[in-house]
Amino acid sequence: MSNMQFSRGFNPFVLLFCLAVVVPTISADVAILRTDYYQKTCPDFNKIVREAVTTKQVQQPTTAAGTLRLFFHDCFLEGCDASVLIATNSFNKAERDDDLNDSLPGDAFDIVTRIKTALELSCPGVVSCADILAQATRDLVTMVGGPYFDVKLGRKDGFESKAHKVRGNVPMANQTVPDIHGIFKKNGFSLREMVALSGAHTIGFSHCKEFSDRLYGSKADKEINPRFAAALKDLCKNHTVDDTIAAFNDVMTPGKFDNMYFKNLKRGLGLLASDHILIKDNSTKPFVDLYATNETAFFEDFARAMEKLGTVGVKGDKEGEVRRRCDHFNNLNV
């Protein structure tokens, strides 16, 4: 395994289902969402998004995984309202600057900015940043081999982004299945849907600090594949002085969205403790077994779960706005 290091400008994501929770229910405004929302007001929306993500993914192959993680974080904290995109200012420390969000990847923020800039030239003041993130995520997932799923549009951008709401609402790599599922359940997801969404770890990276406790010392995990563990130990030997060192979540096909993540779990090749526990826990093991042997079942379940994720906590006209810039509220004093 190569020693992969990344600058802070595009740190790879750490834990795709490390998700924050505030909004436990789906807004009544979900009824306004529809796939053709911009057909008349911004007819080039689909084309502009597709062209931007294609260019960006070719330039930086970590973009797909990073954007997928960013979308999860957005939807599970305050709902799918682009609150995670807000930058900190003198009045407010925003979600993205909480310590637990340090590794949210710069490339994911960048692709949203690129798309927003292009859309403001084509149809100014029409398309929300929340819709841009949702659409870009779907297009990027399909670009790297994942399933197509419908993205219903019409979300508005939220008015709040608070760093203090992140802490305590993000499941960590050493949590149990019941603890992790508790967070998903609050947002309406079943255990099967949780496992399907965990399959997003078929792409992307994790930093050594997220799994180093499985490698060293008396508490080292003896269930990791020995050759895999040896390679990770060598990779991460300097992680305490260089926190950008990262490893593939899926060591076999890291750039392809497939069911290899689940096959890896059965071989002792799960990177994070929260990955490995899915094959150990009796409640989740049947789903891991299913997805490892049936990629179609995984793709179908993942697609349905992603469509559902995109409706969590969406904001309507009275609860949100269309931001002029995705990293600032229109009222800068908010």
Side-chain angles (χ1 to χ4, degrees):
M1 183 182 298
S2 61
N3 188 336
M4 307 203 75
Q5 302 188 30
F6 302 89
S7 72
R8 294 188 182 276
F10 57 100
N11 269 348
F13 71 91
V14 177
L15 181 58
L16 266 177
F17 51 70
C18 274
L19 305 172
V21 175
V22 169
V23 183
T25 58
I26 295 174
S27 167
D29 284 338
V30 68
I32 70 170
L33 301 184
R34 62 182 192 271
T35 57
D36 63 348
Y37 187 84
Y38 297 113
Q39 185 173 8
K40 294 182 179 179
T41 56
C42 193
D44 290 332
F45 169 74
N46 291 330
K47 178 175 179 288
I48 289 171
V49 174
R50 184 169 58 251
E51 290 179 350
V53 300
T54 299
T55 300
K56 179 66 177 178
Q57 179 66 18
V58 170
Q59 292 173 341
Q60 182 47 260
T62 62
T63 302
T67 305
L68 181 54
R69 180 176 180 237
L70 190 66
F71 182 58
F72 284 154
H73 274 251
D74 185 43
C75 292
F76 271 73
L77 180 56
E78 303 295 349
C80 305
D81 67 349
S83 58
V84 74
L85 303 178
I86 291 294
T88 293
N89 60 27
S90 58
F91 303 97
N92 176 59
K93 184 178 180 181
E95 293 171 22
R96 64 193 283 182
D97 287 320
D98 182 81
D99 291 344
L100 295 180
N101 280 340
D102 274 349
S103 62
L104 288 177
D107 287 306
F109 291 99
D110 178 64
I111 185 56
V112 175
T113 300
R114 292 189 185 194
I115 296 169
K116 181 64 171 176
T117 300
L119 287 170
E120 286 300 298
L121 293 173
S122 178
C123 43
V126 172
V127 181
S128 69
C129 302
D131 278 347
I132 291 171
L133 180 56
Q135 185 88 354
T137 298
R138 191 277 309 280
D139 286 359
L140 285 162
V141 167
T142 58
M143 273 192 67
V144 294
Y148 179 91
F149 51 91
D150 286 333
V151 177
K152 294 183 178 179
L153 304 163
R155 302 166 189 80
K156 295 299 183 289
D157 301 322
F159 292 133
E160 182 177 275
S161 179
K162 302 290 186 183
H164 71 84
K165 291 191 174 184
V166 177
R167 181 68 55 173
N169 289 308
V170 177
M172 306 303 292
N174 60 355
Q175 284 187 303
T176 65
V177 165
D179 288 340
I180 296 170
H181 181 234
I183 293 176
F184 278 79
K185 188 176 181 180
K186 289 178 182 179
N187 284 280
F189 291 94
S190 68
L191 196 64
R192 179 169 180 152
E193 290 169 329
M194 183 195 81
V195 177
L197 289 173
S198 299
H201 270 181
T202 188
I203 54 176
F205 307 85
S206 293
H207 291 107
C208 291
K209 65 181 180 180
E210 294 298 322
F211 55 85
S212 60
D213 59 342
R214 302 185 72 204
L215 304 177
Y216 307 108
S218 59
K219 295 184 179 180
D221 192 339
K222 303 295 192 259
E223 296 183 352
I224 304 178
N225 180 288
R227 291 179 61 189
F228 185 45
L232 291 174
K233 286 180 182 179
D234 183 61
L235 170 72
C236 296
K237 59 181 180 291
N238 294 320
H239 82 278
T240 56
V241 294
D242 184 356
D243 61 6
T244 68
I245 301 175
F248 293 123
N249 289 325
D250 172 2
V251 69
M252 304 302 291
T253 57
K256 181 182 180 183
F257 196 102
D258 54 20
N259 67 336
M260 187 60 71
Y261 166 79
F262 297 105
K263 294 180 180 180
N264 289 342
L265 295 184
K266 296 169 68 68
R267 301 168 182 162
L269 299 175
L271 185 62
L272 303 170
S274 48
D275 294 325
H276 181 64
I277 201 172
L278 297 179
I279 192 66
K280 296 289 292 180
D281 191 284
N282 289 333
S283 67
T284 51
K285 184 178 184 297
F287 304 124
V288 173
D289 291 338
L290 170 63
Y291 297 149
T293 57
N294 189 336
E295 187 175 76
T296 299
F298 166 49
F299 275 23
E300 289 176 349
D301 285 358
F302 183 83
R304 281 193 293 266
M306 287 297 292
E307 290 180 5
K308 184 175 180 178
L309 178 66
T311 69
V312 172
V314 295
K315 307 296 190 295
D317 290 333
K318 295 181 179 179
E319 301 171 301
E321 63 184 355
V322 174
R323 289 185 205 139
R324 292 185 290 270
R325 284 182 51 178
C326 291
D327 60 349
H328 287 81
F329 301 115
N330 289 344
N331 178 358
L332 295 183
N333 292 327
V334 174

